Amino acid sequence: MSKKLIRLRNEIIVSLLVFICGAAMGGNVKLGFYIAAYLLVGYSVIKKAAVNIAHGQIFDENFLMMLATFGAFFTGEYPEAVMVMWLYQVGELFQGYAVGKSRDSIKSLLAILPEYANLKKGDEIIKVDPEEVEIGDVIVVKPGEKVPLDGRVIEGRANLNTAALTGESLPRTVAKGEEILSGCIDMDGLLVVEVTKIYEDSTVAKIMELVENAGNRKAKTENFITKFARYYTPFVVILALLLAFIPPLFGGDIYDYVYRSCAFLVISCPCALVISVPLSFFGGIGSASKKGILVKGSNYLEILANTQTMVFDKTGTLTKGSFKVTATSQNRSEVLYWAAIAEKLSNHPIAKAIEAETETAIDLNRLAIKEIAGKGVIADYDGHRVIAGNQELLQSEMVETEALNEEGTIVYVAVDGHYLGYVAVSDTVKEEASVLINGLKQKKIKTVMLTGDKHEVAQKIGRELNIDRVCFELLPQDKVNELEKIIKENSDNVAFVGDGINDAPVLKRADVGIAMGAMGSDAAIEASDIVIMDDDLEKILTVRKIADKTMTIVKENIVFAIGIKLLVLVLGAFGIANMWEAIFSDVGVAFIAILNAMRTLKI
């Protein structure tokens, strides 16, 4: 509990004790105790109201509480004046505690911020600020230390605690050659790491930037409540003044109507809405962050809850993005040998998949390669002319190929003008992809896949995952155009899920963009609204559940608070509801609404 909340708690306790002592007294002594009890618990409210009035911000809950309790003193209802302020401050204490609990789940991310980096300079290791380290520098991470910057392991092996980044409790093992992200904790081994990103571009810095900015993007519901309170408060103050002074002009008892007016003011205080709605969204964001899901603003939870169409990139999102050879012609070893020679100098994933299938030793001095963009390669090796690529390339070189029904990307191979055979290379679907698509279908959410891959490959993945609609052979700009069409076709919000640099424009254009954070590009993460830190597709179902539950709780609080207040306002105006009912309709409703809002932390 913060010092501010501890001080408030102590003020409430002392005030209650003074009030109880005063109740046993008589005459002016009793009044003195009541005033002391009132000032003990209400001084901060009166001070805030005065400061706000001085700055032109008159109509807020502090002003309402001050006005209502002053009116109660005026009518001689001293105990009620003290208890109204006392219960209001108890509500504030409870609110502070609730906000603190929800904030803790987000603030826990601060634990991932590195305090220093062990910079290696020759044989010497120097502790420096992570911001002083440059790309290419070598740092040392010891057991128990946080990884300060993103990099690549060049020596050592260790288990990493990635829970702060991904929400995953199981440790991840890293060894030489593997990428390592800042924010993880080295559990048991010494690692020597070559830095690949400066601190401000590192994973940990980006995460903290996202968290710090999340509160700046309010949901429509939150903005509505803020505007509502701005106009609602002066309106009820005017009504209260009319209620206090108009009926006495026609013979009514001024003390009775001032009392009713005070009760009216207490009832009308919009605390339950002003507190519980932002708290609900804040709790939803906190709940998501504990599960390794970063939501950049409460508005994205609201949008996601109203999303009925979800669009996916294929490679690296629904599929692993790791290609492997799935079929070859009967002369497997021979066709792989020549295909590996042709693809030797290529960094394309298909080339790497073919190279991984053979241990052919190739003398690069005897190899000359010409790449034909979008078609394949032509290589000269040891006096032989090798063609490896699609059917169009071989036909342009006057080589006849066979008709194939193989699924995946087909690499046709010819040597010295004669067709030799083929290699089929396919991407593999992520295990959790089918769980995600089935879960979305249960919620009656339409699914669409956008991919630059060819028709056969795209349709195969679409059938395997039971995706409603598949769009294929799309360039990055085509993906944006296709998404525009989907948005126009749907009255509800459209979400897009992707991970690559080419997905950034689509992520930005979608109503809500969801990026894969572990393997996703910086551009995709920057353009997105929600980041899944460990690339677990099932967490899309988790964040949708959090969004749905958060919006349900928000709507419950709005209906409950407004309904009770309207009822008691009418009763108060006619003198049926006294100050105690007024206190319940304000503090009691706020208590219940805050308790309900805190349920978002348990999603």
Side-chain angles (χ1 to χ4, degrees):
M1 192 180 288
S2 67
K3 289 181 180 178
K4 182 179 177 181
L5 289 180
I6 291 171
R7 184 173 67 249
L8 179 58
R9 181 196 64 189
N10 293 340
E11 287 171 357
I12 290 169
I13 293 170
V14 174
S15 171
L16 182 62
L17 292 173
V18 172
F19 177 82
I20 293 169
C21 291
M25 304 293 179
N28 291 332
V29 176
K30 175 182 283 194
L31 177 60
F33 270 87
Y34 283 158
I35 292 172
Y38 175 82
L39 290 175
L40 274 167
V41 77
Y43 171 75
S44 60
V45 175
I46 297 168
K47 182 180 177 183
K48 281 181 196 172
V51 170
N52 289 344
I53 290 169
H55 289 87
Q57 299 172 3
I58 300 173
F59 299 108
D60 63 1
E61 64 267 23
N62 297 296
F63 176 75
L64 287 179
M65 287 297 105
M66 182 182 73
L67 197 60
T69 52
F70 281 7
F73 268 105
F74 172 75
T75 58
E77 300 294 338
Y78 310 128
E80 291 185 8
V82 178
M83 290 309 293
V84 166
M85 192 62 78
W86 187 84
L87 286 169
Y88 175 75
Q89 289 289 54
V90 169
E92 289 290 296
L93 178 68
F94 192 72
Q95 174 205 345
Y97 175 75
V99 170
K101 287 288 286 183
S102 61
R103 196 184 296 273
D104 284 346
S105 59
I106 293 177
K107 274 193 171 179
S108 62
L109 286 172
L110 291 171
I112 69 177
L113 285 175
E115 296 160 7
Y116 61 87
N118 298 315
L119 181 63
K120 190 173 183 182
K121 291 280 190 182
D123 295 330
E124 191 179 1
I125 295 175
I126 310 165
K127 274 191 181 180
V128 298
D129 191 305
E131 294 184 14
E132 296 177 22
V133 181
E134 301 290 339
I135 293 174
D137 283 348
V138 175
I139 59 172
V140 175
V141 184
K142 301 172 184 177
E145 291 184 336
K146 299 167 196 167
V147 177
L149 299 131
D150 294 4
R152 184 174 55 256
V153 178
I154 55 177
E155 283 182 39
R157 182 184 181 88
N159 288 306
L160 298 182
N161 180 345
T162 65
L165 292 183
T166 67
E168 177 59 56
S169 56
L170 291 175
R172 175 192 162 210
T173 303
V174 294
K176 183 178 178 180
E178 293 189 72
E179 298 294 323
I180 186 171
L181 299 179
S182 54
C184 301
I185 298 174
D186 185 341
M187 295 172 65
D188 53 16
L190 185 73
L191 294 174
V192 181
V193 179
E194 181 184 354
V195 175
T196 55
K197 290 181 184 177
I198 59 173
Y199 178 75
E200 64 184 30
D201 293 331
S202 67
T203 301
V204 68
K206 292 290 184 186
I207 289 172
M208 291 314 302
E209 183 182 348
L210 296 182
V211 172
E212 287 164 3
N213 293 333
N216 297 330
R217 298 182 176 94
K218 286 189 175 183
K220 288 181 182 178
T221 308
E222 275 190 274
N223 287 325
F224 164 73
I225 295 301
T226 303
K227 291 176 183 176
F228 173 80
R230 190 181 303 154
Y231 296 106
Y232 165 83
T233 307
F235 175 71
V236 297
V237 169
I238 292 168
L239 284 181
L241 290 172
L242 292 174
L243 179 63
F245 300 111
I246 296 298
L249 295 177
F250 299 94
D253 181 359
I254 188 168
Y255 285 97
D256 177 43
Y257 279 96
V258 168
Y259 179 83
R260 291 189 195 186
S261 177
C262 293
F264 190 89
L265 285 172
V266 173
I267 297 163
S268 65
C269 187
C271 299
L273 290 177
V274 173
I275 294 167
S276 69
V277 171
L279 182 61
S280 299
F281 283 113
F282 203 68
I285 292 172
S287 183
S289 71
K290 285 192 292 186
K291 293 174 171 62
I293 305 164
L294 287 180
V295 181
K296 296 185 184 180
S298 57
N299 54 327
Y300 301 122
L301 282 181
E302 186 171 19
I303 293 169
L304 186 62
N306 295 318
T307 293
Q308 290 303 313
T309 302
M310 198 161 283
V311 184
F312 295 89
D313 168 52
K314 181 182 75 70
T315 307
T317 302
L318 293 174
T319 64
K320 295 179 180 178
S322 55
F323 291 84
K324 66 177 182 179
V325 174
T326 52
T328 66
S329 48
Q330 290 186 347
N331 55 338
R332 178 182 175 85
S333 58
E334 185 181 9
V335 76
L336 281 173
Y337 170 77
W338 289 107
I341 288 173
E343 302 282 8
K344 180 64 180 177
L345 299 181
S346 174
N347 287 318
H348 194 282
I350 290 174
K352 295 296 182 185
I354 291 172
E355 189 178 353
E357 289 292 313
T358 177
E359 297 180 358
T360 303
I362 300 169
D363 186 351
L364 297 180
N365 294 320
R366 291 147 55 193
L367 177 65
I369 286 179
K370 177 185 177 184
E371 189 168 342
I372 313 299
K375 295 182 179 180
V377 293
I378 299 174
D380 289 309
Y381 184 73
D382 229 8
H384 297 284
R385 190 167 187 262
V386 187
I387 305 170
N390 60 21
Q391 202 167 21
E392 187 182 347
L393 175 61
L394 271 72
Q395 287 174 350
S396 69
E397 295 294 321
M398 308 305 291
V399 177
E400 292 297 323
T401 60
E402 60 186 311
L404 296 171
N405 293 318
E406 295 288 349
E407 293 179 332
T409 301
I410 308 298
V411 179
Y412 295 89
V413 182
V415 179
D416 295 332
H418 299 288
Y419 176 63
L420 185 65
Y422 70 89
V423 178
V425 179
S426 299
D427 196 357
T428 51
V429 173
K430 290 181 178 178
E431 290 80 2
E432 66 272 19
S434 60
V435 177
L436 168 63
I437 301 300
N438 289 335
L440 293 175
K441 286 188 176 296
Q442 288 174 11
K443 292 180 176 289
K444 302 197 180 330
I445 296 173
K446 290 181 284 186
T447 54
V448 182
M449 184 175 77
L450 305 183
T451 178
D453 221 330
K454 64 181 185 177
H455 173 267
E456 295 82 1
V457 176
Q459 292 293 0
K460 171 183 176 286
I461 300 295
R463 285 193 303 272
E464 187 175 340
L465 293 175
N466 194 24
I467 291 172
D468 297 320
R469 177 176 165 188
V470 176
C471 304
F472 44 85
E473 297 178 8
L474 301 174
L475 297 173
Q477 60 269 30
D478 297 329
K479 285 187 176 183
V480 176
N481 294 335
E482 200 64 43
L483 185 70
E484 292 276 6
K485 291 179 189 175
I486 294 168
I487 290 171
K488 286 177 183 176
E489 292 168 4
N490 293 273
S491 55
D492 295 304
N493 295 316
V494 175
F496 180 81
V497 185
D499 73 317
I501 293 175
N502 63 335
D503 292 328
V506 206
L507 285 163
K508 202 73 176 173
R509 177 60 190 90
D511 295 308
V512 57
I514 304 174
M516 300 290 107
M519 298 302 291
S521 70
D522 289 347
I525 293 170
E526 188 73 29
S528 65
D529 308 309
I530 296 172
V531 183
I532 310 295
M533 291 308 299
D534 61 356
D535 290 1
D536 183 355
L537 285 172
E538 288 187 57
K539 286 189 177 175
I540 294 174
L541 293 175
T542 302
V543 73
R544 173 58 190 246
K545 178 184 174 184
I546 290 170
D548 288 343
K549 192 71 174 177
T550 299
M551 289 311 301
T552 299
I553 290 170
V554 166
K555 290 170 185 174
E556 287 171 353
N557 282 343
I558 290 173
V559 172
F560 173 70
I562 291 178
I564 295 292
K565 281 187 179 292
L566 286 176
L567 174 63
V568 184
L569 274 172
V570 173
L571 295 176
F574 286 99
I576 300 171
N578 61 23
M579 192 68 79
W580 296 108
E581 280 88 357
I583 291 169
F584 169 75
S585 74
D586 177 40
V587 180
V589 169
F591 266 134
I592 295 168
I594 290 169
L595 279 173
N596 196 35
M598 287 184 71
R599 288 166 53 214
T600 56
L601 290 169
K602 304 298 181 183
I603 303 172

